[in-house]
Amino acid sequence: MPNSTPASSPASLVLPRARLALGVTGHRNSNAAFARNRAAIDTALTALFDAIDSAVAGQAEAWAPTRLHALLAHGADLLAVERALARDWQVAAPLPFGPALNIAINAHPATAADARVLLAGAVPADADVAARAAEMQRLAAQAQCLALAEQDATVARLFLAMLDAPGDALAVAAYGGIASERAAAAGQIMVEQADLLIAIWDGVTPGTAGGTRHTIAAALDHGAPVIWIDAGDPTRRYILRAPESLLVRNAVASDADIAALLQGLLNPPRSALDTRAIRFHAEQWHPHSNRRFHAYRRVEALFGGRGPGKALSGLVQTYETPDAIASGSAAPFLAGARGLAGGNTGFVARIETEVLRRFAWADGLSTYLSDAYRGGMVTNFLLSALAITGGVAYLPFATSDTKWPFALFELLLLLAILLITSVGRRQRWHGRWFETRRVAEYLRHAPLLLLLGVARPPGRWPRGAETMWPETYARRVLRDLGLPPVTLSQAYLRGALEQLLAVHVKAQRAYHATKAERLTTVHHRLDHASELMFKLAVTAVALYLLLVLGGKIGLVTPGIVYSASKSFTFLGVALPALGGAFAGIRYFGDFERFAAISEVTAEKLEGIEERLAVLLGDPDAELRYAEAAALARAMDDVVIAEIESWQAVFAGKQIAVPV
């Protein structure tokens, strides 16, 4: 192995903490079943939380405090939050509205006058409304709140209009529609963050978008299981695992069923941070690439149409260290993130230390291992051709008596192939490259998602063939940060889209378009080179046969035929060997399929660019969180699709002797 030096490991580069994330949805106090059975629901919820605490405490590793996500609506949400805080759990609250408007709406004022007082931050005349508002303020102060306030002006206007004219059906419908949309957007955030959704539902109320049944369906659609406590009879609990579960009443879940579900969530198969993850943190850092591993990238340079100067120029890469990324490649992003209107600089600082530094570590390791694995395999193909060529080179240049140096040369090259293959397998170049690259790509795009409160749901992560530690690792890193504690305004949203997402998507689209063009060129030129070698071999053999024929008919003297035979034999062996090496490199590198993957990725990103342009085209237009989050999710889907395609190409191509 080449010389390496340990990187100065930043304090953040420790194994990320495991954490169970829950979501809760349920009826409000106005629901008849909930109001009638509140005490029994409280008992059932307490028993479930006890089971969760017991399961987490029984884990071999120390887990971070459980985090409960709730929309802080009066009823099941606040009941669950009270019980969670009593256990020292963390509480995260994706709020459908800004803090003041959220309290004004969820305190359920009966009059527009009380609503206006609440919006002004004062105490309303109605004592019950004031008590509800005070309770929500108290609990919100103890939660990490992401408040979706970008439509507050519109929502407040429609809310007050409804209260001013309670008999106006159009006013009621207008407010009800936008309120449901906001609740659904907040519920989507909760569902994406949760490993498990706890639902308190009567099993009858259909609800609207953003309601309890809608949130249950969204969780099941995203692959998160649901524990449903029947509000009509809280002694009955059901485990729902698929959208179809809402149509078919399952058997009542026992304590053992609940325990088994929790153990499955806490200890999923093939996903624990095993010794491979620990090794990831203990890897040796290489400040730059090693010339001995440049064969693959040299092939790209020579056959990629970069021009003679660049094709033969130095290829040594210097890897950006975790300590340098904040002032290096990530500096523009961090400056933009810190400049978001109403943003949280503390949260941005955590993104830098806990995500971007880990990305730099994974990216540097993966790039080095990629060179080692792919460069080693390309070297094997070239050494194989040289071994064959060297082994027969004695024919035109020596006699049988002096053949041994050529045989020794061939032996040394064959031993070198075996050595490279053995070292590559023993040190798991292929597997470590695959794993570290997955970590890097998950974390590369994550800061954008984090700033918008967007996450990939647990059921939508890719599945590794041999291990899931990269996915578990990335999820734990992102899960630990959770929701950004910000009040998301129009200015915040526009800044995130214009200065961060649009810039990132454009850069990634340009990268993939250029990569697709380059790899297509490499593929075709390797094809042509391989064909040329075989055509030259055919020409050499044909010329030799013509010489033999000429000798037979007296046109060429026998001495010329004899003296030329060894040279033509050498060419007949060497040229196909070299052509086979080019073909093997082309097959191994799969340049054409990688080009196709990048081309498709670039096209998808171009589509997202166009959608962003439409959304941001009118500087006075009212942006909505749902549309902005949808674009961030679309970008994440493109990233995941590329990773899955990339894995499909290279997953089975372990380093091996070139046969």
Side-chain angles (χ1 to χ4, degrees), residues 299-339:
V299 167
E300 274 200 17
L302 289 171
F303 292 90
R306 298 176 58 188
K310 291 185 178 180
L312 298 175
S313 62
L315 295 176
V316 175
Q317 289 181 305
T318 299
Y319 304 134
E320 189 172 46
T321 66
D323 290 329
I325 190 170
S327 58
S329 63
F333 170 83
L334 290 171
R338 293 189 191 101

mmCIF file of all heavy atoms in Angstrom, residues 299-339:
data_model
loop_
_atom_site.group_PDB
_atom_site.id
_atom_site.type_symbol
_atom_site.label_atom_id
_atom_site.label_comp_id
_atom_site.label_asym_id
_atom_site.label_seq_id
_atom_site.Cartn_x
_atom_site.Cartn_y
_atom_site.Cartn_z
ATOM 1 N N VAL A 299 -6.699 6.402 -18.817
ATOM 2 C CA VAL A 299 -7.477 5.940 -19.975
ATOM 3 C C VAL A 299 -8.546 6.971 -20.325
ATOM 4 O O VAL A 299 -8.758 7.308 -21.495
ATOM 5 C CB VAL A 299 -8.115 4.561 -19.677
ATOM 6 C CG1 VAL A 299 -9.179 4.219 -20.719
ATOM 7 C CG2 VAL A 299 -7.041 3.484 -19.653
ATOM 8 N N GLU A 300 -9.238 7.478 -19.301
ATOM 9 C CA GLU A 300 -10.248 8.524 -19.548
ATOM 10 C C GLU A 300 -9.608 9.739 -20.198
ATOM 11 O O GLU A 300 -10.180 10.347 -21.114
ATOM 12 C CB GLU A 300 -10.927 8.932 -18.238
ATOM 13 C CG GLU A 300 -12.105 8.068 -17.839
ATOM 14 C CD GLU A 300 -13.018 8.780 -16.848
ATOM 15 O OE1 GLU A 300 -12.915 10.019 -16.720
ATOM 16 O OE2 GLU A 300 -13.824 8.099 -16.208
ATOM 17 N N ALA A 301 -8.425 10.122 -19.724
ATOM 18 C CA ALA A 301 -7.761 11.309 -20.269
ATOM 19 C C ALA A 301 -7.316 11.095 -21.708
ATOM 20 O O ALA A 301 -7.484 11.967 -22.568
ATOM 21 C CB ALA A 301 -6.563 11.674 -19.390
ATOM 22 N N LEU A 302 -6.747 9.927 -21.997
ATOM 23 C CA LEU A 302 -6.240 9.652 -23.337
ATOM 24 C C LEU A 302 -7.347 9.464 -24.359
ATOM 25 O O LEU A 302 -7.227 9.902 -25.509
ATOM 26 C CB LEU A 302 -5.340 8.404 -23.307
ATOM 27 C CG LEU A 302 -3.982 8.557 -22.617
ATOM 28 C CD1 LEU A 302 -3.304 7.202 -22.476
ATOM 29 C CD2 LEU A 302 -3.089 9.517 -23.407
ATOM 30 N N PHE A 303 -8.427 8.819 -23.949
ATOM 31 C CA PHE A 303 -9.483 8.489 -24.900
ATOM 32 C C PHE A 303 -10.712 9.394 -24.770
ATOM 33 O O PHE A 303 -11.695 9.202 -25.483
ATOM 34 C CB PHE A 303 -9.919 7.030 -24.715
ATOM 35 C CG PHE A 303 -8.867 6.030 -25.103
ATOM 36 C CD1 PHE A 303 -7.946 5.570 -24.182
ATOM 37 C CD2 PHE A 303 -8.781 5.559 -26.401
ATOM 38 C CE1 PHE A 303 -6.974 4.653 -24.530
ATOM 39 C CE2 PHE A 303 -7.815 4.637 -26.770
ATOM 40 C CZ PHE A 303 -6.898 4.178 -25.829
ATOM 41 N N GLY A 304 -10.648 10.363 -23.866
ATOM 42 C CA GLY A 304 -11.837 11.182 -23.615
ATOM 43 C C GLY A 304 -11.918 12.457 -24.409
ATOM 44 O O GLY A 304 -12.797 13.292 -24.150
ATOM 45 N N GLY A 305 -11.017 12.655 -25.361
ATOM 46 C CA GLY A 305 -11.120 13.829 -26.215
ATOM 47 C C GLY A 305 -10.691 15.113 -25.538
ATOM 48 O O GLY A 305 -11.171 16.199 -25.892
ATOM 49 N N ARG A 306 -9.784 15.029 -24.571
ATOM 50 C CA ARG A 306 -9.360 16.232 -23.856
ATOM 51 C C ARG A 306 -8.252 16.989 -24.584
ATOM 52 O O ARG A 306 -7.878 18.083 -24.183
ATOM 53 C CB ARG A 306 -8.861 15.854 -22.462
ATOM 54 C CG ARG A 306 -9.892 15.221 -21.564
ATOM 55 C CD ARG A 306 -9.285 14.784 -20.236
ATOM 56 N NE ARG A 306 -8.671 15.895 -19.526
ATOM 57 C CZ ARG A 306 -7.949 15.754 -18.417
ATOM 58 N NH1 ARG A 306 -7.744 14.547 -17.922
ATOM 59 N NH2 ARG A 306 -7.421 16.795 -17.810
ATOM 60 N N GLY A 307 -7.727 16.436 -25.669
ATOM 61 C CA GLY A 307 -6.624 17.080 -26.363
ATOM 62 C C GLY A 307 -5.296 16.543 -25.881
ATOM 63 O O GLY A 307 -5.169 16.103 -24.741
ATOM 64 N N PRO A 308 -4.265 16.560 -26.744
ATOM 65 C CA PRO A 308 -2.969 15.959 -26.393
ATOM 66 C C PRO A 308 -2.357 16.540 -25.122
ATOM 67 O O PRO A 308 -1.807 15.810 -24.313
ATOM 68 C CB PRO A 308 -2.102 16.276 -27.625
ATOM 69 C CG PRO A 308 -3.079 16.536 -28.734
ATOM 70 C CD PRO A 308 -4.290 17.141 -28.096
ATOM 71 N N GLY A 309 -2.461 17.866 -24.940
ATOM 72 C CA GLY A 309 -1.852 18.471 -23.765
ATOM 73 C C GLY A 309 -2.457 17.979 -22.475
ATOM 74 O O GLY A 309 -1.758 17.541 -21.561
ATOM 75 N N LYS A 310 -3.774 18.011 -22.381
ATOM 76 C CA LYS A 310 -4.452 17.594 -21.160
ATOM 77 C C LYS A 310 -4.400 16.083 -20.980
ATOM 78 O O LYS A 310 -4.355 15.586 -19.858
ATOM 79 C CB LYS A 310 -5.899 18.069 -21.183
ATOM 80 C CG LYS A 310 -6.054 19.574 -21.061
ATOM 81 C CD LYS A 310 -7.516 19.983 -20.977
ATOM 82 C CE LYS A 310 -7.652 21.489 -20.806
ATOM 83 N NZ LYS A 310 -9.082 21.902 -20.717
ATOM 84 N N ALA A 311 -4.423 15.352 -22.090
ATOM 85 C CA ALA A 311 -4.416 13.893 -21.992
ATOM 86 C C ALA A 311 -3.133 13.384 -21.352
ATOM 87 O O ALA A 311 -3.130 12.339 -20.701
ATOM 88 C CB ALA A 311 -4.595 13.272 -23.372
ATOM 89 N N LEU A 312 -2.039 14.117 -21.559
ATOM 90 C CA LEU A 312 -0.751 13.674 -21.030
ATOM 91 C C LEU A 312 -0.317 14.475 -19.805
ATOM 92 O O LEU A 312 0.788 14.301 -19.301
ATOM 93 C CB LEU A 312 0.322 13.784 -22.122
ATOM 94 C CG LEU A 312 0.074 12.916 -23.365
ATOM 95 C CD1 LEU A 312 1.129 13.195 -24.417
ATOM 96 C CD2 LEU A 312 0.055 11.440 -23.005
ATOM 97 N N SER A 313 -1.189 15.356 -19.331
ATOM 98 C CA SER A 313 -0.833 16.182 -18.184
ATOM 99 C C SER A 313 -0.946 15.378 -16.888
ATOM 100 O O SER A 313 -1.452 14.258 -16.870
ATOM 101 C CB SER A 313 -1.745 17.408 -18.115
ATOM 102 O OG SER A 313 -3.096 16.999 -17.939
ATOM 103 N N GLY A 314 -0.494 15.981 -15.806
ATOM 104 C CA GLY A 314 -0.555 15.301 -14.522
ATOM 105 C C GLY A 314 -1.983 15.073 -14.061
ATOM 106 O O GLY A 314 -2.883 15.890 -14.301
ATOM 107 N N LEU A 315 -2.184 13.955 -13.375
ATOM 108 C CA LEU A 315 -3.526 13.593 -12.921
ATOM 109 C C LEU A 315 -3.650 13.575 -11.402
ATOM 110 O O LEU A 315 -4.696 13.190 -10.880
ATOM 111 C CB LEU A 315 -3.897 12.200 -13.463
ATOM 112 C CG LEU A 315 -4.033 12.069 -14.974
ATOM 113 C CD1 LEU A 315 -4.313 10.609 -15.335
ATOM 114 C CD2 LEU A 315 -5.136 12.961 -15.508
ATOM 115 N N VAL A 316 -2.615 13.990 -10.711
ATOM 116 C CA VAL A 316 -2.649 13.926 -9.253
ATOM 117 C C VAL A 316 -3.740 14.855 -8.720
ATOM 118 O O VAL A 316 -3.801 16.038 -9.066
ATOM 119 C CB VAL A 316 -1.290 14.298 -8.643
ATOM 120 C CG1 VAL A 316 -1.384 14.355 -7.115
ATOM 121 C CG2 VAL A 316 -0.235 13.289 -9.070
ATOM 122 N N GLN A 317 -4.616 14.300 -7.897
ATOM 123 C CA GLN A 317 -5.687 15.066 -7.267
ATOM 124 C C GLN A 317 -5.358 15.284 -5.793
ATOM 125 O O GLN A 317 -4.897 14.380 -5.114
ATOM 126 C CB GLN A 317 -7.016 14.317 -7.352
ATOM 127 C CG GLN A 317 -7.627 14.253 -8.737
ATOM 128 C CD GLN A 317 -8.949 13.519 -8.704
ATOM 129 O OE1 GLN A 317 -9.019 12.382 -8.242
ATOM 130 N NE2 GLN A 317 -9.998 14.160 -9.183
ATOM 131 N N THR A 318 -5.627 16.488 -5.315
ATOM 132 C CA THR A 318 -5.512 16.774 -3.887
ATOM 133 C C THR A 318 -6.904 16.732 -3.284
ATOM 134 O O THR A 318 -7.824 17.388 -3.784
ATOM 135 C CB THR A 318 -4.880 18.154 -3.656
ATOM 136 O OG1 THR A 318 -3.560 18.158 -4.222
ATOM 137 C CG2 THR A 318 -4.788 18.463 -2.167
ATOM 138 N N TYR A 319 -7.067 15.948 -2.238
ATOM 139 C CA TYR A 319 -8.382 15.756 -1.645
ATOM 140 C C TYR A 319 -8.657 16.814 -0.581
ATOM 141 O O TYR A 319 -7.811 17.090 0.272
ATOM 142 C CB TYR A 319 -8.496 14.362 -1.023
ATOM 143 C CG TYR A 319 -8.195 13.243 -1.992
ATOM 144 C CD1 TYR A 319 -7.370 12.188 -1.621
ATOM 145 C CD2 TYR A 319 -8.716 13.247 -3.280
ATOM 146 C CE1 TYR A 319 -7.081 11.154 -2.509
ATOM 147 C CE2 TYR A 319 -8.435 12.228 -4.175
ATOM 148 C CZ TYR A 319 -7.616 11.182 -3.784
ATOM 149 O OH TYR A 319 -7.340 10.172 -4.658
ATOM 150 N N GLU A 320 -9.835 17.395 -0.641
ATOM 151 C CA GLU A 320 -10.242 18.405 0.324
ATOM 152 C C GLU A 320 -10.518 17.742 1.669
ATOM 153 O O GLU A 320 -11.326 16.824 1.767
ATOM 154 C CB GLU A 320 -11.494 19.123 -0.174
ATOM 155 C CG GLU A 320 -11.885 20.322 0.647
ATOM 156 C CD GLU A 320 -13.022 21.098 -0.003
ATOM 157 O OE1 GLU A 320 -14.001 20.450 -0.428
ATOM 158 O OE2 GLU A 320 -12.927 22.328 -0.097
ATOM 159 N N THR A 321 -9.845 18.214 2.707
ATOM 160 C CA THR A 321 -10.000 17.611 4.026
ATOM 161 C C THR A 321 -11.283 18.094 4.688
ATOM 162 O O THR A 321 -11.830 19.149 4.338
ATOM 163 C CB THR A 321 -8.810 17.956 4.933
ATOM 164 O OG1 THR A 321 -8.826 19.368 5.187
ATOM 165 C CG2 THR A 321 -7.492 17.569 4.286
ATOM 166 N N PRO A 322 -11.773 17.349 5.663
ATOM 167 C CA PRO A 322 -12.958 17.805 6.398
ATOM 168 C C PRO A 322 -12.781 19.180 7.023
ATOM 169 O O PRO A 322 -13.724 19.971 7.074
ATOM 170 C CB PRO A 322 -13.138 16.715 7.470
ATOM 171 C CG PRO A 322 -12.560 15.484 6.861
ATOM 172 C CD PRO A 322 -11.385 15.971 6.060
ATOM 173 N N ASP A 323 -11.575 19.487 7.494
ATOM 174 C CA ASP A 323 -11.338 20.786 8.119
ATOM 175 C C ASP A 323 -11.334 21.930 7.112
ATOM 176 O O ASP A 323 -11.528 23.089 7.496
ATOM 177 C CB ASP A 323 -9.999 20.778 8.867
ATOM 178 C CG ASP A 323 -10.041 19.906 10.110
ATOM 179 O OD1 ASP A 323 -11.118 19.803 10.714
ATOM 180 O OD2 ASP A 323 -9.006 19.309 10.457
ATOM 181 N N ALA A 324 -11.113 21.608 5.832
ATOM 182 C CA ALA A 324 -10.962 22.661 4.829
ATOM 183 C C ALA A 324 -12.238 22.942 4.048
ATOM 184 O O ALA A 324 -12.329 23.967 3.374
ATOM 185 C CB ALA A 324 -9.842 22.287 3.849
ATOM 186 N N ILE A 325 -13.228 22.065 4.121
ATOM 187 C CA ILE A 325 -14.370 22.202 3.225
ATOM 188 C C ILE A 325 -15.176 23.465 3.495
ATOM 189 O O ILE A 325 -15.716 24.082 2.572
ATOM 190 C CB ILE A 325 -15.270 20.943 3.293
ATOM 191 C CG1 ILE A 325 -16.320 20.995 2.182
ATOM 192 C CG2 ILE A 325 -15.908 20.774 4.669
ATOM 193 C CD1 ILE A 325 -17.095 19.705 2.000
ATOM 194 N N ALA A 326 -15.255 23.888 4.757
ATOM 195 C CA ALA A 326 -16.068 25.073 5.077
ATOM 196 C C ALA A 326 -15.523 26.323 4.410
ATOM 197 O O ALA A 326 -16.288 27.200 3.998
ATOM 198 C CB ALA A 326 -16.148 25.269 6.587
ATOM 199 N N SER A 327 -14.212 26.429 4.304
ATOM 200 C CA SER A 327 -13.605 27.587 3.652
ATOM 201 C C SER A 327 -13.252 27.304 2.203
ATOM 202 O O SER A 327 -12.725 28.170 1.510
ATOM 203 C CB SER A 327 -12.343 28.015 4.412
ATOM 204 O OG SER A 327 -11.413 26.938 4.473
ATOM 205 N N GLY A 328 -13.556 26.080 1.745
ATOM 206 C CA GLY A 328 -13.243 25.691 0.385
ATOM 207 C C GLY A 328 -14.484 25.552 -0.474
ATOM 208 O O GLY A 328 -15.217 26.517 -0.705
ATOM 209 N N SER A 329 -14.738 24.329 -0.932
ATOM 210 C CA SER A 329 -15.819 24.123 -1.896
ATOM 211 C C SER A 329 -17.202 24.433 -1.340
ATOM 212 O O SER A 329 -18.116 24.789 -2.086
ATOM 213 C CB SER A 329 -15.789 22.671 -2.397
ATOM 214 O OG SER A 329 -16.024 21.764 -1.324
ATOM 215 N N ALA A 330 -17.385 24.307 -0.027
ATOM 216 C CA ALA A 330 -18.704 24.543 0.560
ATOM 217 C C ALA A 330 -18.921 25.985 0.995
ATOM 218 O O ALA A 330 -20.002 26.328 1.485
ATOM 219 C CB ALA A 330 -18.917 23.613 1.759
ATOM 220 N N ALA A 331 -17.916 26.847 0.833
ATOM 221 C CA ALA A 331 -18.028 28.229 1.314
ATOM 222 C C ALA A 331 -19.209 28.977 0.688
ATOM 223 O O ALA A 331 -19.964 29.645 1.413
ATOM 224 C CB ALA A 331 -16.722 28.973 1.072
ATOM 225 N N PRO A 332 -19.423 28.906 -0.641
ATOM 226 C CA PRO A 332 -20.578 29.627 -1.211
ATOM 227 C C PRO A 332 -21.905 29.126 -0.657
ATOM 228 O O PRO A 332 -22.807 29.933 -0.367
ATOM 229 C CB PRO A 332 -20.453 29.354 -2.711
ATOM 230 C CG PRO A 332 -19.015 29.029 -2.932
ATOM 231 C CD PRO A 332 -18.587 28.304 -1.703
ATOM 232 N N PHE A 333 -22.031 27.810 -0.505
ATOM 233 C CA PHE A 333 -23.279 27.273 0.038
ATOM 234 C C PHE A 333 -23.511 27.756 1.464
ATOM 235 O O PHE A 333 -24.615 28.190 1.814
ATOM 236 C CB PHE A 333 -23.262 25.744 0.006
ATOM 237 C CG PHE A 333 -24.401 25.122 0.768
ATOM 238 C CD1 PHE A 333 -25.644 24.983 0.184
ATOM 239 C CD2 PHE A 333 -24.239 24.706 2.090
ATOM 240 C CE1 PHE A 333 -26.704 24.436 0.892
ATOM 241 C CE2 PHE A 333 -25.283 24.167 2.804
ATOM 242 C CZ PHE A 333 -26.525 24.031 2.201
ATOM 243 N N LEU A 334 -22.485 27.668 2.296
ATOM 244 C CA LEU A 334 -22.640 28.071 3.692
ATOM 245 C C LEU A 334 -22.957 29.556 3.807
ATOM 246 O O LEU A 334 -23.768 29.961 4.653
ATOM 247 C CB LEU A 334 -21.371 27.731 4.470
ATOM 248 C CG LEU A 334 -21.117 26.232 4.693
ATOM 249 C CD1 LEU A 334 -19.730 26.005 5.283
ATOM 250 C CD2 LEU A 334 -22.176 25.632 5.600
ATOM 251 N N ALA A 335 -22.342 30.372 2.948
ATOM 252 C CA ALA A 335 -22.643 31.805 2.973
ATOM 253 C C ALA A 335 -24.098 32.039 2.596
ATOM 254 O O ALA A 335 -24.792 32.852 3.229
ATOM 255 C CB ALA A 335 -21.714 32.546 2.013
ATOM 256 N N GLY A 336 -24.580 31.322 1.572
ATOM 257 C CA GLY A 336 -25.976 31.459 1.182
ATOM 258 C C GLY A 336 -26.924 30.974 2.261
ATOM 259 O O GLY A 336 -27.972 31.591 2.508
ATOM 260 N N ALA A 337 -26.557 29.875 2.916
ATOM 261 C CA ALA A 337 -27.421 29.332 3.973
ATOM 262 C C ALA A 337 -27.494 30.284 5.162
ATOM 263 O O ALA A 337 -28.557 30.483 5.749
ATOM 264 C CB ALA A 337 -26.902 27.962 4.413
ATOM 265 N N ARG A 338 -26.346 30.863 5.521
ATOM 266 C CA ARG A 338 -26.351 31.808 6.643
ATOM 267 C C ARG A 338 -27.126 33.078 6.309
ATOM 268 O O ARG A 338 -27.636 33.753 7.204
ATOM 269 C CB ARG A 338 -24.915 32.164 7.025
ATOM 270 C CG ARG A 338 -24.111 31.009 7.605
ATOM 271 C CD ARG A 338 -22.770 31.499 8.151
ATOM 272 N NE ARG A 338 -21.891 30.373 8.475
ATOM 273 C CZ ARG A 338 -20.897 29.962 7.691
ATOM 274 N NH1 ARG A 338 -20.654 30.585 6.550
ATOM 275 N NH2 ARG A 338 -20.139 28.931 8.047
ATOM 276 N N GLY A 339 -27.206 33.398 5.024
ATOM 277 C CA GLY A 339 -27.883 34.620 4.615
ATOM 278 C C GLY A 339 -29.375 34.478 4.407
ATOM 279 O O GLY A 339 -30.046 35.466 4.058
#
